[in-house]
Amino acid sequence: MSEMQSARRGRPGYDQQGILAVAVAAFNEYGYDATSIGMLAERLGLSKSAIYHHFGSKDEILDRALDSALSSLEAVVEDEPADAGGGAAGRLERVLRGAVHVLVDQLPAVTLLLRVRGNTDVERTALSRRRTFDRRITALVSAAQSEGALRDDIDASVAARLTFGMINSIVEWYRPGGREGADRLADDVVAIALDGLRKR
Amino acid sequence: MSEMQSARRGRPGYDQQGILAVAVAAFNEYGYDATSIGMLAERLGLSKSAIYHHFGSKDEILDRALDSALSSLEAVVEDEPADAGGGAAGRLERVLRGAVHVLVDQLPAVTLLLRVRGNTDVERTALSRRRTFDRRITALVSAAQSEGALRDDIDASVAARLTFGMINSIVEWYRPGGREGADRLADDVVAIALDGLRKR
DNA sequence: GTCTATACATTGATAGAC
DNA sequence: GTCTATCAATGTATAGAC
């Protein structure tokens, strides 16, 4: 949790996790390209070459962080109990809530993931995994439409993108310890996405 | 509209607008920091110093692009006919539709705006204008709740952020010439934001 | 596991000719 | 309005001592 050396013991040494946390925070603050290894070294209280002892390249730091975020998001879809009831619409609602929780719990890594543009191989690989995730969400929306649970006058792909656009935008403003907890936030997202803001 | 020299006459020369269009496209493709003046020069078929004849600095190019996007967004709120009926809820719906149209019409510039992080003075000024815009939207949501037109069990600020998060996410996938036009897309956004995806 | 020193490329920007 | 040539600064990454 802290920015300093994690658990283990020993006074001076960082491990990969400790460096990773500081690096991801800096990448989110200044942008990946605008964050130099020198800046990371300064924040860590290390020399530049000490960082290269833990990671082979700047790209590799990014790779680790993106993999962490993607694995958590993928787990939301894969570990979802498909037989928990509610059909496809029920599954979709559970996935929406799960995604909000991942965003909140892994805010820095997911924030970084959502800003990736595809400049390098590492970024392109991450984007590819994101697209696979998106397809699964679209399939879920489509199935829920076929069931008759969701309106079908909006294209499933557009509905999925807009809904996850709403969820993903949470990283732009949510800060842990604020007024809304993750559960409340997930309620709000589901309420708007499924029932809308209009009073009835 | 084209990427080459606009109107005026003369074979060789670019003007600011022509350079700006190419620069914004490159900034969106690689990110502002990852796009060097040298890359811009290559894309334009110019030397680096030719670009500095038109703009004083790389920052100034960004400044022009962001100002263009912000002016268009601000105009949506300012030029909205407040007396066109529907109360605050009506005003909000017109603003949502207007924002979608600005996103589609000025896709490159707005895309760039939405990726600004606040690293430089130029970026911080742009972020400040964005925040003012956001506050006006939140005030509109709040007024619509007070009228009884919108549900008030969701915080106005959260509702405004989630709704505009949905709209802003359009820049991540919308491409002109696709199946959905701007009007249809605005319909979909308003449908989900106000009435939700659930069939009733 | 950390350091100093350094290699080497690329960056944003300027000078001055045409 | 464009060019070539060049600058100082900064970038990633490596070598080798401790």
Side-chain angles (χ1 to χ4, degrees), chain A residues 60-124:
Chain A
E60 190 180 311
I61 304 179
L62 182 63
D63 190 39
R64 295 293 184 98
L66 296 182
D67 178 64
S68 163
L70 282 162
S71 298
S72 299
L73 276 176
E74 286 159 357
V76 168
V77 176
E78 281 156 17
D79 300 350
E80 187 271 326
D83 55 354
R91 294 188 61 196
L92 178 62
E93 179 173 334
R94 287 191 292 277
V95 167
L96 295 185
R97 289 183 192 277
V100 171
H101 275 91
V102 166
L103 252 72
V104 168
D105 292 343
Q106 308 235 41
L107 197 59
V110 176
T111 300
L112 192 59
L113 172 67
L114 293 175
R115 292 182 186 165
V116 155
R117 292 300 141 206
N119 258 338
T120 63
D121 277 335
V122 164
E123 297 190 359
R124 279 185 287 272

Side-chain angles (χ1 to χ4, degrees), chain B residues 103-174:
Chain B
L103 252 72
V104 168
D105 292 342
Q106 307 236 40
L107 197 59
V110 176
T111 301
L112 192 60
L113 171 67
L114 293 175
R115 292 182 185 164
V116 155
R117 293 301 140 203
N119 259 338
T120 62
D121 277 335
V122 164
E123 298 191 358
R124 278 185 287 274
T125 300
L127 281 182
S128 172
R129 284 172 73 180
R130 255 196 84 184
R131 276 192 291 272
T132 300
F133 178 83
D134 288 346
R135 270 193 297 272
R136 296 168 94 163
I137 305 297
T138 298
L140 219 43
V141 170
S142 190
Q145 286 177 326
S146 298
E147 280 178 358
L150 295 189
R151 60 196 293 170
D152 55 5
D153 59 334
I154 298 177
D155 181 79
S157 165
V158 172
R161 285 192 230 251
L162 289 176
T163 302
F164 258 83
M166 184 165 72
I167 290 176
N168 290 339
S169 74
I170 290 171
V171 304
E172 303 288 336
W173 55 271
Y174 186 84

Side-chain angles (χ1 to χ4, degrees), chain A residues 13-14 46-47 49 53-54:
Chain A
Y14 276 99
L46 288 179
S47 67
S49 45
H53 175 77
H54 296 280

Side-chain angles (χ1 to χ4, degrees), chain B residues 4-72:
Chain B
M4 288 305 288
Q5 49 271 41
S6 71
R8 221 155 272 276
R9 67 158 179 284
R11 260 60 47 94
Y14 277 98
D15 60 0
Q16 285 198 343
Q17 285 299 321
I19 291 178
L20 201 55
V22 174
V24 169
F27 291 163
N28 284 330
E29 195 170 336
Y30 306 111
Y32 174 73
D33 291 292
T35 306
S36 68
I37 299 287
M39 292 167 60
L40 291 184
E42 208 170 327
R43 282 204 174 196
L44 288 159
L46 287 180
S47 66
K48 291 195 288 179
S49 45
I51 295 177
Y52 282 102
H53 175 76
H54 295 282
F55 294 92
S57 67
K58 191 183 171 187
D59 231 44
E60 189 180 311
I61 304 179
L62 182 64
D63 191 38
R64 295 292 183 98
L66 297 181
D67 178 63
S68 163
L70 281 163
S71 297
S72 299

